[in-house]
Amino acid sequence: MNDTFLNTVNTQTWANGRHQVRCVNRIWETPDVTTFCFMAEQPIMFFFKPGQFVTLELMIEGEQVMRSYTIASSPSVPYSFSITVKRVPGGQVSNWLHDNLTEGDELAVHGPMGVFNCIDYPAEKVLLLSGGSGITPTMSMARWLYDTNTGVDMVFCHSARTPTDIIFRRELELMDSRVNNLQVNFICETHGIGETWAGYRGYLDLFKLQLMAPDFKERTVFCCGPAPYMAAVKKMLKDADFPMENYFEESFGEPPADADLDILTEAQEEALEDRSEGAMVSFTNIGKGIKVKAEETVHSAATQLGIRIPKACGMGICGTCRVLKVSGEVEMEHNGGITDDDVAEGYILSCCSKPKTDVEIEV
């Protein structure tokens, strides 16, 4: 680390947008999970809300690919941030990261974004529920609450396939051993030959939850994991008369591999239909425009014209598809992927913005 980096006069603060970062470390967590740590060339303090995510901008086999990953680190360590990635069989991005991203490599990230965080929903008692690689946002929350000595009463319950698959196990056990306001519990579906496991076995259910957190109805719940896991947790809590206004879950995941192809095929078919009615979407800096139907988005209009707007989640969460609306009105139903300041300046998320009038867009 050079003197320039240590010069606090030049320190800047991270803001939502596109940033160039460099991989400075790879940490082996489990046989198929790796943590990638990033820093900026010039000192930037990476402030974010624990539970938020970034979107990576990658070039894979000559094609630009965007993928969102939750920040696993805590903003209490502000000059770097990390993501923790599980290798998924057939996963385009996760396998590329594991096989290709090394220390010293540079890439662009967009963010931070996301409404799933423990800052906007403060509580004196929290229950952190996670399954598999869904541990990353809850780990960021636990690290933040632990590092800042908030005194928040935390119960952390993580489900994994086997003891070997428990991500951050040693760190969580160390944190648990040092403070009295954190209780860590692991549930393993099974265990391998030669593995010793004396903890909870099977799956999370109401009986185990009552053993781990008898007062769970008094806590604010933050949940993240595979979709079946979150659906099961949600049903379990509803059936137990948990006050669901105190339940929050992560809501984005890796889009289907053929999502862009499906959109393109649909758009090409729709382009052949009669376009005599509808709102006109004009891309002023490109000189192209097309009329769209009421249910179509600005992103769909761009796709039909062969204009590529980067997109990762398709649900108004990641903020990757942000464009400038020069004129006109749209109905935008986003999920936290854009700030009020951006909206005030005229920006929209193309994936979830439906034109209400003729609009002009810059991409």
Side-chain angles (χ1 to χ4, degrees):
M1 185 177 294
N2 56 40
D3 293 338
T4 301
F5 189 93
L6 295 174
N7 185 355
T8 56
V9 175
N10 296 327
T11 298
Q12 300 177 7
T13 302
W14 198 21
N16 179 31
R18 184 179 187 274
H19 306 275
Q20 198 73 17
V21 297
R22 177 169 50 89
C23 180
V24 293
N25 196 14
R26 286 177 51 130
I27 301 172
W28 181 80
E29 304 287 357
T30 73
D32 58 358
V33 175
T34 300
T35 291
F36 299 91
C37 306
F38 300 96
M39 296 178 71
E41 285 299 329
Q42 296 299 319
I44 293 180
M45 300 189 76
F46 294 101
F47 291 136
F48 55 92
K49 297 175 182 179
Q52 289 190 303
F53 61 88
V54 292
T55 299
L56 307 188
E57 180 181 319
L58 304 169
M59 189 63 66
I60 301 177
E61 297 181 355
E63 178 185 357
Q64 186 185 60
V65 179
M66 314 289 284
R67 189 73 81 247
S68 297
Y69 288 100
T70 305
I71 304 171
S73 55
S74 165
S76 53
V77 184
Y79 282 101
S80 67
F81 72 93
S82 64
I83 61 171
T84 301
V85 181
K86 177 181 174 62
R87 183 190 288 273
V88 179
Q92 179 189 25
V93 177
S94 64
N95 285 285
W96 187 91
L97 290 172
H98 275 253
D99 296 336
N100 294 278
L101 187 62
T102 60
E103 293 181 24
D105 289 346
E106 295 187 2
L107 70 155
V109 299
H110 299 254
M113 297 301 297
V115 297
F116 179 71
N117 66 83
C118 63
I119 299 297
D120 292 336
Y121 308 102
E124 294 183 0
K125 300 170 69 174
V126 299
L127 173 59
L128 305 174
L129 301 177
S130 59
S133 58
I135 195 174
T136 51
T138 55
M139 188 64 184
S140 180
M141 295 176 189
R143 284 168 164 165
W144 165 255
L145 297 172
Y146 172 87
D147 289 344
T148 54
N149 294 299
T150 59
V152 171
D153 186 334
M154 294 178 280
V155 175
F156 198 124
C157 304
H158 177 66
S159 298
R161 290 195 310 269
T162 72
T164 303
D165 294 310
I166 299 175
I167 306 170
F168 309 129
R169 177 180 177 180
R170 285 179 294 180
E171 182 179 353
L172 281 168
E173 289 175 338
L174 176 62
M175 291 164 60
D176 189 358
S177 71
R178 292 177 60 85
V179 296
N180 58 13
N181 61 309
L182 171 62
Q183 178 190 334
V184 175
N185 304 274
F186 299 122
I187 306 171
C188 290
E189 179 182 344
T190 185
H191 61 88
I193 298 175
E195 283 185 314
T196 300
W197 181 247
Y200 293 100
R201 299 168 184 261
Y203 301 95
L204 176 64
D205 54 33
L206 185 59
F207 177 73
K208 296 186 184 71
L209 181 61
Q210 290 172 327
L211 290 176
M212 295 182 285
D215 60 349
F216 72 93
K217 292 184 181 180
E218 303 171 12
R219 297 177 178 272
T220 295
V221 174
F222 295 97
C223 177
C224 186
Y229 170 85
M230 291 194 293
V233 168
K234 202 168 186 177
K235 183 179 185 304
M236 175 186 69
L237 293 176
K238 283 183 177 179
D239 291 346
D241 294 324
F242 178 83
M244 296 306 290
E245 64 270 17
N246 296 329
Y247 173 85
F248 304 95
E249 68 179 21
E250 182 57 282
S251 57
F252 80 93
E254 202 168 284
D258 58 350
D260 287 341
L261 178 61
D262 290 342
I263 292 171
L264 182 59
T265 302
E266 180 182 350
Q268 289 171 337
E269 292 174 352
E270 291 178 346
L272 299 176
E273 298 177 0
D274 178 24
R275 293 284 171 170
S276 59
E277 296 182 359
M280 172 64 74
V281 180
S282 302
F283 296 89
T284 55
N285 57 328
I286 297 179
K288 292 183 178 182
I290 190 172
K291 287 190 175 183
V292 297
K293 295 185 291 187
E295 67 273 15
E296 291 182 282
T297 65
V298 171
H299 198 280
S300 173
T303 303
Q304 293 174 53
L305 293 170
I307 301 171
R308 181 173 178 79
I309 300 176
K311 179 176 69 69
C313 71
M315 297 181 289
I317 297 175
C318 70
T320 306
C321 64
R322 189 185 73 156
V323 295
L324 178 64
K325 177 174 64 67
V326 179
S327 67
E329 295 183 19
V330 299
E331 179 182 356
M332 179 169 60
E333 298 181 0
H334 67 89
N335 289 291
I338 191 168
T339 65
D340 292 339
D341 290 341
D342 284 343
V343 174
E345 292 177 10
Y347 289 97
I348 63 172
L349 300 182
S350 61
C351 77
C352 57
S353 295
K354 299 176 181 179
K356 297 174 63 178
T357 65
D358 293 350
V359 295
E360 294 183 331
I361 303 295
E362 285 188 4
V363 294

